Amino acid sequence: MEDNCIFCKIIKKEIPSAIVYEDDKVIAFKDINPVAPIHILVVPKKHIKSIAELKSEDEALIGKIFTVINKVAEEQGVKEKGFRVIANCGEDGGQEVPHLHFHLLAGRKLGEKII
Ligand code: AMP
Ligand code: ZN
């Protein structure tokens, strides 16, 4: 946990969020500035800055995050129609919050593909 990290504060319930899933290792909550009808952030509780900071010991955690992404997609009713998962990494990747997170976007046709 990092004292001045906004996502650590959400994890510690020091600031409110709309939590849609939580277990001992992973939390998922609604993005405060949604760009799609479903926009949820899936976040490890461990403070890892970004994909670039992952260690081999985090491999199981990343696997778990994708299990949670599927679970949340199913619960939100978007698993069949589809969704997009985005993880911005570092400055050129456009990452604004330096605590690893995966955006789960769904609920509309996501047209603005860059790849
Ligand atoms: P990124 O640019 O990939 O680092 O994404 C950070 C995301 O966190 C943005 O989509 C923000 O809207 C979102 N965000 C920032 N603060 C909060 C908050 N307090 N609760 C929920 N989402 C937040
Ligand atoms: Zn953090």
Side-chain angles (χ1 to χ4, degrees):
M1 291 287 171
E2 285 261 316
D3 281 351
N4 54 6
C5 169
I6 188 154
F7 288 176
C8 284
K9 285 181 181 163
I10 286 174
I11 291 159
K12 287 185 278 184
K13 316 272 165 70
E14 287 175 6
I15 60 170
S17 69
I19 296 169
V20 299
Y21 176 88
E22 182 171 18
D23 64 30
D24 58 331
K25 297 210 162 34
V26 180
I27 191 167
F29 51 88
K30 292 184 182 173
D31 196 292
I32 205 166
N33 187 21
V35 300
I38 306 286
H39 186 171
I40 289 164
L41 301 173
V42 183
V43 182
K45 288 190 170 178
K46 180 179 175 187
H47 181 86
I48 300 167
K49 255 201 231 159
S50 73
I51 290 173
E53 304 281 321
L54 284 167
K55 308 259 188 302
S56 58
E57 70 202 37
D58 300 318
E59 283 175 4
L61 177 59
I62 298 309
K64 188 173 175 60
I65 282 172
F66 278 86
T67 300
V68 172
I69 286 170
N70 264 314
K71 194 177 168 65
V72 172
E74 187 153 31
E75 280 169 8
Q76 299 286 325
V78 298
K79 198 166 170 182
E80 237 176 73
K81 271 208 114 182
F83 53 87
R84 189 176 292 168
V85 177
I86 297 174
N88 299 317
C89 178
E91 197 183 334
D92 280 2
Q95 184 176 7
E96 284 172 18
V97 176
H99 179 132
L100 180 65
H101 54 280
F102 295 79
H103 297 257
L104 169 59
L105 300 167
R108 67 168 170 85
K109 183 98 182 144
L110 297 160
E112 60 279 27
K113 286 178 76 172
I114 62 164
I115 52 160

